[in-house]
PDB file of all heavy atoms in Angstrom:
ATOM      1  N   LYS A 138      -0.888  30.409  31.224  1.00 96.00           N
ATOM      2  CA  LYS A 138       0.417  30.986  31.537  1.00 96.00           C
ATOM      3  C   LYS A 138       1.464  30.638  30.476  1.00 96.00           C
ATOM      4  O   LYS A 138       2.241  31.499  30.073  1.00 96.00           O
ATOM      5  CB  LYS A 138       0.892  30.531  32.918  1.00 96.00           C
ATOM      6  CG  LYS A 138       2.232  31.155  33.306  1.00 96.00           C
ATOM      7  CD  LYS A 138       2.696  30.731  34.659  1.00 96.00           C
ATOM      8  CE  LYS A 138       4.031  31.252  35.085  1.00 96.00           C
ATOM      9  NZ  LYS A 138       4.848  32.011  34.205  1.00 96.00           N
ATOM     10  N   ASP A 139       1.481  29.385  30.004  1.00 97.00           N
ATOM     11  CA  ASP A 139       2.491  29.021  29.009  1.00 97.00           C
ATOM     12  C   ASP A 139       2.277  29.761  27.688  1.00 97.00           C
ATOM     13  O   ASP A 139       3.237  30.122  27.007  1.00 97.00           O
ATOM     14  CB  ASP A 139       2.576  27.502  28.806  1.00 97.00           C
ATOM     15  CG  ASP A 139       1.307  26.879  28.279  1.00 97.00           C
ATOM     16  OD1 ASP A 139       0.214  27.378  28.593  1.00 97.00           O
ATOM     17  OD2 ASP A 139       1.405  25.863  27.561  1.00 97.00           O
ATOM     18  N   ASP A 140       1.027  30.057  27.333  1.00 97.00           N
ATOM     19  CA  ASP A 140       0.762  30.858  26.130  1.00 97.00           C
ATOM     20  C   ASP A 140       1.234  32.290  26.334  1.00 97.00           C
ATOM     21  O   ASP A 140       1.911  32.865  25.464  1.00 97.00           O
ATOM     22  CB  ASP A 140      -0.725  30.857  25.783  1.00 97.00           C
ATOM     23  CG  ASP A 140      -1.218  29.497  25.315  1.00 97.00           C
ATOM     24  OD1 ASP A 140      -0.402  28.708  24.802  1.00 97.00           O
ATOM     25  OD2 ASP A 140      -2.423  29.228  25.480  1.00 97.00           O
ATOM     26  N   LEU A 141       0.908  32.867  27.477  1.00 96.00           N
ATOM     27  CA  LEU A 141       1.346  34.243  27.767  1.00 96.00           C
ATOM     28  C   LEU A 141       2.873  34.353  27.775  1.00 96.00           C
ATOM     29  O   LEU A 141       3.433  35.294  27.209  1.00 96.00           O
ATOM     30  CB  LEU A 141       0.785  34.709  29.111  1.00 96.00           C
ATOM     31  CG  LEU A 141      -0.709  34.996  29.141  1.00 96.00           C
ATOM     32  CD1 LEU A 141      -1.184  35.244  30.574  1.00 96.00           C
ATOM     33  CD2 LEU A 141      -1.058  36.165  28.247  1.00 96.00           C
ATOM     34  N   ASP A 142       3.529  33.387  28.393  1.00 96.00           N
ATOM     35  CA  ASP A 142       5.001  33.396  28.424  1.00 96.00           C
ATOM     36  C   ASP A 142       5.572  33.298  27.008  1.00 96.00           C
ATOM     37  O   ASP A 142       6.526  33.999  26.665  1.00 96.00           O
ATOM     38  CB  ASP A 142       5.536  32.242  29.283  1.00 96.00           C
ATOM     39  CG  ASP A 142       5.292  32.451  30.772  1.00 96.00           C
ATOM     40  OD1 ASP A 142       4.982  33.589  31.184  1.00 96.00           O
ATOM     41  OD2 ASP A 142       5.408  31.458  31.513  1.00 96.00           O
ATOM     42  N   PHE A 143       4.976  32.441  26.191  1.00 97.00           N
ATOM     43  CA  PHE A 143       5.444  32.285  24.806  1.00 97.00           C
ATOM     44  C   PHE A 143       5.257  33.580  24.026  1.00 97.00           C
ATOM     45  O   PHE A 143       6.153  34.031  23.316  1.00 97.00           O
ATOM     46  CB  PHE A 143       4.702  31.126  24.127  1.00 97.00           C
ATOM     47  CG  PHE A 143       5.230  30.798  22.760  1.00 97.00           C
ATOM     48  CD1 PHE A 143       6.350  29.997  22.611  1.00 97.00           C
ATOM     49  CD2 PHE A 143       4.624  31.307  21.628  1.00 97.00           C
ATOM     50  CE1 PHE A 143       6.864  29.711  21.352  1.00 97.00           C
ATOM     51  CE2 PHE A 143       5.120  31.022  20.364  1.00 97.00           C
ATOM     52  CZ  PHE A 143       6.240  30.220  20.229  1.00 97.00           C
ATOM     53  N   TRP A 144       4.076  34.204  24.151  1.00 97.00           N
ATOM     54  CA  TRP A 144       3.817  35.464  23.433  1.00 97.00           C
ATOM     55  C   TRP A 144       4.727  36.574  23.924  1.00 97.00           C
ATOM     56  O   TRP A 144       5.227  37.363  23.117  1.00 97.00           O
ATOM     57  CB  TRP A 144       2.358  35.872  23.569  1.00 97.00           C
ATOM     58  CG  TRP A 144       1.386  34.912  22.951  1.00 97.00           C
ATOM     59  CD1 TRP A 144       1.594  34.085  21.872  1.00 97.00           C
ATOM     60  CD2 TRP A 144       0.058  34.669  23.374  1.00 97.00           C
ATOM     61  NE1 TRP A 144       0.472  33.357  21.611  1.00 97.00           N
ATOM     62  CE2 TRP A 144      -0.495  33.689  22.524  1.00 97.00           C
ATOM     63  CE3 TRP A 144      -0.729  35.180  24.400  1.00 97.00           C
ATOM     64  CZ2 TRP A 144      -1.795  33.222  22.660  1.00 97.00           C
ATOM     65  CZ3 TRP A 144      -2.027  34.719  24.534  1.00 97.00           C
ATOM     66  CH2 TRP A 144      -2.553  33.749  23.674  1.00 97.00           C
ATOM     67  N   LEU A 145       4.944  36.644  25.229  1.00 95.00           N
ATOM     68  CA  LEU A 145       5.862  37.655  25.777  1.00 95.00           C
ATOM     69  C   LEU A 145       7.253  37.492  25.178  1.00 95.00           C
ATOM     70  O   LEU A 145       7.890  38.466  24.765  1.00 95.00           O
ATOM     71  CB  LEU A 145       5.945  37.535  27.296  1.00 95.00           C
ATOM     72  CG  LEU A 145       4.978  38.373  28.100  1.00 95.00           C
ATOM     73  CD1 LEU A 145       4.951  37.929  29.556  1.00 95.00           C
ATOM     74  CD2 LEU A 145       5.314  39.850  28.005  1.00 95.00           C
ATOM     75  N   TYR A 146       7.727  36.255  25.128  1.00 96.00           N
ATOM     76  CA  TYR A 146       9.066  35.996  24.612  1.00 96.00           C
ATOM     77  C   TYR A 146       9.136  36.243  23.099  1.00 96.00           C
ATOM     78  O   TYR A 146      10.159  36.670  22.572  1.00 96.00           O
ATOM     79  CB  TYR A 146       9.510  34.563  24.941  1.00 96.00           C
ATOM     80  CG  TYR A 146      10.989  34.384  24.793  1.00 96.00           C
ATOM     81  CD1 TYR A 146      11.873  34.907  25.736  1.00 96.00           C
ATOM     82  CD2 TYR A 146      11.518  33.733  23.682  1.00 96.00           C
ATOM     83  CE1 TYR A 146      13.234  34.773  25.589  1.00 96.00           C
ATOM     84  CE2 TYR A 146      12.888  33.589  23.534  1.00 96.00           C
ATOM     85  CZ  TYR A 146      13.744  34.110  24.477  1.00 96.00           C
ATOM     86  OH  TYR A 146      15.092  33.987  24.330  1.00 96.00           O
ATOM     87  N   THR A 147       8.040  36.015  22.404  1.00 97.00           N
ATOM     88  CA  THR A 147       8.010  36.180  20.952  1.00 97.00           C
ATOM     89  C   THR A 147       7.868  37.640  20.532  1.00 97.00           C
ATOM     90  O   THR A 147       8.513  38.083  19.589  1.00 97.00           O
ATOM     91  CB  THR A 147       6.849  35.353  20.354  1.00 97.00           C
ATOM     92  OG1 THR A 147       7.024  33.985  20.723  1.00 97.00           O
ATOM     93  CG2 THR A 147       6.821  35.455  18.842  1.00 97.00           C
ATOM     94  N   PHE A 148       7.040  38.399  21.272  1.00 96.00           N
ATOM     95  CA  PHE A 148       6.658  39.733  20.793  1.00 96.00           C
ATOM     96  C   PHE A 148       7.152  40.908  21.616  1.00 96.00           C
ATOM     97  O   PHE A 148       6.835  42.050  21.279  1.00 96.00           O
ATOM     98  CB  PHE A 148       5.134  39.804  20.660  1.00 96.00           C
ATOM     99  CG  PHE A 148       4.604  38.910  19.577  1.00 96.00           C
ATOM    100  CD1 PHE A 148       3.992  37.713  19.885  1.00 96.00           C
ATOM    101  CD2 PHE A 148       4.744  39.254  18.244  1.00 96.00           C
ATOM    102  CE1 PHE A 148       3.519  36.873  18.900  1.00 96.00           C
ATOM    103  CE2 PHE A 148       4.281  38.421  17.239  1.00 96.00           C
ATOM    104  CZ  PHE A 148       3.664  37.226  17.569  1.00 96.00           C
ATOM    105  N   THR A 149       7.894  40.672  22.690  1.00 94.00           N
ATOM    106  CA  THR A 149       8.381  41.811  23.479  1.00 94.00           C
ATOM    107  C   THR A 149       9.908  41.749  23.606  1.00 94.00           C
ATOM    108  O   THR A 149      10.542  40.768  23.207  1.00 94.00           O
ATOM    109  CB  THR A 149       7.753  41.835  24.891  1.00 94.00           C
ATOM    110  OG1 THR A 149       8.257  40.752  25.663  1.00 94.00           O
ATOM    111  CG2 THR A 149       6.235  41.795  24.831  1.00 94.00           C
ATOM    112  N   ALA A 150      10.458  42.788  24.211  1.00 93.00           N
ATOM    113  CA  ALA A 150      11.911  42.880  24.386  1.00 93.00           C
ATOM    114  C   ALA A 150      12.446  41.821  25.352  1.00 93.00           C
ATOM    115  O   ALA A 150      13.657  41.662  25.472  1.00 93.00           O
ATOM    116  CB  ALA A 150      12.292  44.274  24.866  1.00 93.00           C
ATOM    117  N   CYS A 151      11.554  41.086  26.002  1.00 91.00           N
ATOM    118  CA  CYS A 151      11.985  39.963  26.860  1.00 91.00           C
ATOM    119  C   CYS A 151      12.608  38.849  26.021  1.00 91.00           C
ATOM    120  O   CYS A 151      13.263  37.962  26.564  1.00 91.00           O
ATOM    121  CB  CYS A 151      10.790  39.374  27.615  1.00 91.00           C
ATOM    122  SG  CYS A 151       9.936  40.516  28.685  1.00 91.00           S
ATOM    123  N   GLY A 152      12.359  38.886  24.726  1.00 95.00           N
ATOM    124  CA  GLY A 152      12.837  37.814  23.853  1.00 95.00           C
ATOM    125  C   GLY A 152      13.110  38.304  22.446  1.00 95.00           C
ATOM    126  O   GLY A 152      13.878  39.234  22.222  1.00 95.00           O
TER     127      GLY A 152
END
Side-chain angles (χ1 to χ4, degrees):
K138 182 179 177 355
D139 62 328
D140 292 334
L141 288 171
D142 289 344
F143 187 82
W144 296 331
L145 269 167
Y146 197 74
T147 302
F148 293 103
T149 69
C151 300

